[in-house]
């Protein structure tokens, strides 16, 4: 087990670190595995003042100041004051230069970021995966794309024309407790649009968000001279803080991560309060496997479903497979799933994480079987050494086979996001290929969710049909890792129950800004401008 040091983070408001009256204590992932009851009991005693924090045991890896109501309100005030001053900075400073500074610091602290993620319980390979995504998000290719979308300039006669995106103002970010560090860094790209940002570090998992802001983003902002209040970070319970943001007339946008049920309700509250909602909710991603697919590679991508025990929104959640290759694909998935194991997060080959409340897993599995599904592998709880045990806090990677598309969504595991290591493979009934393509596309497009979808096929006409006609989701990938990050492309965002009625691929720098057209002339005659296009047409015709 790697050595640890206690990290301490305070609220950061208007350029100053503030203690607050209470502390939140973070228990290391190893301690939760070794003795969850004792570790959580100590955490509760410390936070209630029933234990002496002078000599914290090694199981406590961080303490974070919990913000009081006044601090939460002052964070919004500071952001509102800073927003117009920060927006006045040149685009190349607040976007390109800030992005480069953040990228450089991610590179310099890459291993430390991994260490923090592991302390939070993210398996080592998945910690490295997240850092890889951060590097792409702030890499030169992505920064160049962001800039091209924020400003496009043209000449027409004596006029300088531009289509530009301007910041919305004050953006508040509510990252999720299952991936606070990477989600917070994604949300921080809203600053590059010229917004001031307020972040709520999750009360139940504050370390990652606090770390990445204090150690990466704040120093980068200071380096380029951003005004105090451009970034503010506080830790607290979600309900009162979200309510405060909704009430405040100074908040413009709220970026919310959470369940679809809660997120859609929150979207309605945002619209009623005059706020722009930017939602990152559940995913129920589909992987389509055609009869000519590379089945070994497709199975490898499908088993990404089990990474983090399925407790990630962007993993595969269901498979649609051509009946001619279904048996071979399932055999490949089962074989690869057998190598995915539990363990301590810092171990090199561990991909499974604890599932502390597994009753939903077994309920979902019973429903699948009751609806006629077959269990191809898994289906049991287990201990860290992979011994099957009903009291175990790990779950075996589980594959269930559902026959036929027509009634597939009567099975809960197909219809809804599961968020545990269980994936249904839906085998289509035999039919002509043209009919199967149509039914596959309809099945994907009628998914109530829409985060990521991916397709495995080699026939160019088949690929073109899927690419042209699959219209849901924020990302569509062909013959590639389902969860892998790429420059230029978004990492998040989707349609339906994933992103709400305004859902689309989520580039926070774009979602937290708005389009404005601009014309700057040296002195055009107004009447000529009024009829400019008409007269140009007449000249062409004559």
């Amino acid at each position: 087990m790697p050595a640890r040091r206690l990290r301490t983070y305070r609220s950061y408001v208007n350029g100053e670190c503030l203690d607050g009256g209470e502390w939140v204590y973070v228990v290391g992932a190893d301690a939760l595995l070794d003795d969850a009851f004792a570790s959580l009991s100590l955490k509760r005693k410390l936070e209630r003042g029933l234990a002496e924090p002078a000599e914290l045991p090694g199981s406590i890896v961080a303490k974070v100041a919990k913000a009081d109501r006044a601090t939460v309100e002052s964070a919004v005030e500071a952001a509102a004051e800073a927003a117009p001053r920060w927006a006045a900075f040149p685009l190349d400073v607040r976007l390109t230069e800030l992005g480069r500074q953040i990228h450089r610091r991610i590179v310099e602290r890459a291993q430390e970021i991994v260490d923090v993620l592991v302390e939070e319980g993210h398996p080592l390979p998945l910690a490295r995966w997240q850092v890889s995504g951060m590097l792409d998000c702030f890499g030169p290719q992505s920064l160049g794309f962001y800039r091209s979308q924020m400003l496009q300039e043209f000449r027409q006669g004596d006029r300088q024309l531009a289509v530009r995106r301007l910041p919305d103002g004050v953006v508040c970010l509510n990252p999720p407790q299952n991936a606070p560090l990477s989600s917070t860094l994604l949300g921080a790209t809203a600053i590059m649009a010229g917004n001031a940002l307020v972040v709520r570090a999750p009360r139940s998992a504050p370390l990652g968000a606090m770390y990445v802001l204090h150690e990466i983003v704040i120093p980068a902002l200071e380096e380029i001279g951003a005004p105090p209040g451009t970034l503010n970070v506080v830790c607290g319970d979600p309900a009162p803080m979200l309510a405060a943001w909704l009430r405040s007339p100074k908040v413009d946008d709220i970026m919310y991560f959470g369940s679809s049920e809660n997120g859609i309700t929150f979207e309605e509250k945002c619209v009623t309060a005059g706020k722009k909602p930017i939602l990152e909710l559940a995913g129920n991603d589909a992987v389509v496997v055609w009869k000519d697919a590379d089945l070994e590679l497709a199975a490898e991508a499908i088993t990404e479903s089990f990474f983090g025990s399925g407790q990630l929104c962007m993993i595969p959640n269901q498979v649609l497979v051509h009946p001619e290759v279904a048996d071979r694909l399932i055999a490949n998935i089962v074989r690869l799933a057998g190598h995915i194991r539990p363990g301590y997060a810092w171990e090199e080959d561990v991909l499974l994480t604890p599932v502390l409340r597994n009753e939903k897993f077994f309920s979902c599995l019973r429903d699948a079987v009751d609806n006629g599904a077959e269990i191809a592998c898994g289906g049991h709880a287990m201990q860290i050494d992979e011994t099957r045990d009903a009291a175990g806090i790990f779950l075996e990677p589980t594959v269930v086979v559902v026959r036929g598309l027509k009634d597939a969504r009567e099975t809960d595991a197909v219809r809804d996001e599961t968020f545990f290591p269980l994936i249904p493979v839906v085998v289509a009934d035999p039919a002509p290929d043209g009919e199967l393509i149509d039914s596959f596309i309809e099945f994907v497009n009628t998914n109530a969710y829409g985060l990521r979808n991916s397709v495995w096929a080699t026939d160019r006409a088949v690929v073109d049909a899927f690419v042209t006609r699959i219209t849901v989701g924020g990302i569509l990938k062909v013959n590639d890792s389902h969860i892998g990050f790429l420059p230029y492309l978004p990492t998040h965002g989707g349609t339906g129950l994933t992103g709400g009625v305004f859902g689309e691929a989520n580039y926070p720098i774009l979602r937290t800004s708005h389009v404005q057209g601009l014309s700057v002339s040296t002195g055009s005659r107004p009447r000529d401008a009024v009829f400019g296009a008409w007269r140009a047409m007449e000249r062409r015709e004559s």
Side-chain angles (χ1 to χ4, degrees), residues 35-243:
D35 193 338
F37 179 79
S39 299
L40 293 175
S41 295
L42 173 61
K43 170 182 164 68
R44 285 192 289 268
K45 288 179 180 179
L46 288 167
E47 292 174 354
R48 294 173 181 173
L50 302 177
E52 177 55 52
E55 296 184 6
L56 292 174
S59 60
I60 302 295
V61 298
K63 64 175 188 174
V64 173
K66 184 180 178 184
D68 56 21
R69 180 175 178 177
T71 302
V72 172
E73 292 175 352
S74 64
V76 173
E77 294 285 341
E81 184 176 343
R85 290 188 290 152
W86 174 237
F89 275 59
L91 180 63
D92 282 330
V93 174
R94 55 180 164 81
L95 193 162
T96 308
E97 184 56 33
L98 176 60
R100 288 172 179 167
Q101 291 284 349
I102 291 175
H103 186 269
R104 177 175 64 83
R105 286 172 167 80
I106 295 171
V107 171
E108 292 173 349
R109 290 178 172 259
Q111 184 56 53
E112 189 173 52
I113 297 172
V114 167
D115 292 343
V116 171
L117 288 167
V118 168
E119 287 176 348
E120 286 190 315
H122 299 261
L124 185 57
L126 296 187
R128 292 170 177 159
W129 164 68
Q130 291 182 67
V131 173
S132 179
M134 298 171 202
L135 292 170
D136 277 333
C137 181
F138 290 92
Q141 298 100 324
S142 293
L143 293 179
F145 171 74
Y146 303 152
R147 195 191 187 288
S148 73
Q149 299 300 297
M150 293 297 291
L151 177 65
Q152 297 186 49
E153 297 178 293
F154 316 91
R155 287 294 302 187
Q156 187 196 52
D158 62 356
R159 296 183 184 87
Q160 179 68 40
L161 306 179
V163 178
R164 63 182 183 177
R165 299 191 71 92
L166 299 178
D168 289 342
V170 174
V171 177
C172 295
L173 170 63
N174 180 65
Q177 65 180 17
N178 68 314
L181 192 156
S182 55
S183 301
T184 294
L185 194 56
L186 170 72
T189 59
I191 299 173
M192 299 193 300
N195 298 292
L197 182 66
V198 180
V199 180
R200 182 192 78 87
R203 167 73 174 75
S204 56
L207 173 57
M210 282 290 188
Y211 169 84
V212 79
L213 295 177
H214 278 272
E215 308 293 351
I216 304 292
V217 182
I218 290 171
L221 287 167
E222 292 175 345
E223 181 79 17
I224 63 174
T230 300
L231 171 63
N232 307 273
V233 55
V234 289
C235 174
D237 297 315
M241 205 171 299
L242 291 171

Side-chain angles (χ1 to χ4, degrees), residues 131-416:
V131 173
S132 179
M134 298 171 202
L135 292 170
D136 277 333
C137 181
F138 290 92
Q141 298 100 324
S142 293
L143 293 179
F145 171 74
Y146 303 152
R147 195 191 187 288
S148 73
Q149 299 300 297
M150 293 297 291
L151 177 65
Q152 297 186 49
E153 297 178 293
F154 316 91
R155 287 294 302 187
Q156 187 196 52
D158 62 356
R159 296 183 184 87
Q160 179 68 40
L161 306 179
V163 178
R164 63 182 183 177
R165 299 191 71 92
L166 299 178
D168 289 342
V170 174
V171 177
C172 295
L173 170 63
N174 180 65
Q177 65 180 17
N178 68 314
L181 192 156
S182 55
S183 301
T184 294
L185 194 56
L186 170 72
T189 59
I191 299 173
M192 299 193 300
N195 298 292
L197 182 66
V198 180
V199 180
R200 182 192 78 87
R203 167 73 174 75
S204 56
L207 173 57
M210 282 290 188
Y211 169 84
V212 79
L213 295 177
H214 278 272
E215 308 293 351
I216 304 292
V217 182
I218 290 171
L221 287 167
E222 292 175 345
E223 181 79 17
I224 63 174
T230 300
L231 171 63
N232 307 273
V233 55
V234 289
C235 174
D237 297 315
M241 205 171 299
L242 291 171
W245 291 348
L246 287 169
R247 287 193 306 268
S248 174
K250 298 184 177 181
V251 172
D252 298 287
D253 301 351
I254 303 178
M255 189 179 299
Y256 177 93
F257 289 73
S259 70
S260 292
E261 181 180 5
N262 292 337
I264 298 303
T265 300
F266 185 72
E267 178 180 58
E268 296 174 1
K269 293 179 180 179
C270 283
V271 173
T272 300
K275 320 294 182 191
K276 180 194 288 186
I278 303 167
L279 306 181
E280 285 292 342
L281 309 177
N284 190 14
D285 297 5
V287 180
V288 175
V289 182
W290 197 244
K291 67 180 182 180
D292 61 351
D294 185 320
L295 299 183
E296 181 68 27
L297 295 180
E300 185 177 322
I302 290 165
T303 54
E304 293 169 350
S305 173
F306 304 125
F307 290 7
S309 290
Q311 297 176 108
L312 302 167
C313 63
M314 60 180 63
I315 58 170
N317 273 95
Q318 55 185 295
V319 180
L320 281 67
V321 61
H322 194 290
E324 292 183 18
V325 296
D327 290 343
R328 284 186 288 152
L329 177 69
I330 292 166
N332 283 341
I333 297 170
V334 170
R335 175 175 52 81
L336 293 174
H339 297 285
I340 297 175
R341 73 176 192 85
Y344 291 101
W346 47 267
E347 294 182 275
E348 281 285 345
D349 59 345
V350 164
L351 285 169
L352 295 178
T353 53
V355 181
L356 298 180
R357 298 184 62 185
N358 61 27
E359 62 272 11
K360 289 186 178 180
F361 168 83
F362 289 107
S363 173
C364 186
L365 186 60
R366 282 194 301 273
D367 172 82
V369 172
D370 289 345
N371 278 285
E374 310 151 25
I375 300 176
C377 68
H380 297 271
M382 59 180 170
Q383 295 291 355
I384 196 170
D385 62 359
E386 300 184 72
T387 302
R388 286 181 172 178
D389 183 345
I393 61 172
F394 291 93
L395 295 171
E396 293 176 338
T398 301
V399 178
V400 297
V401 181
V402 178
R403 304 287 176 179
L405 269 67
K406 182 175 179 292
D407 299 320
R409 289 202 176 111
E410 292 183 7
T411 300
D412 292 345
V414 179
R415 185 181 58 254
D416 300 318

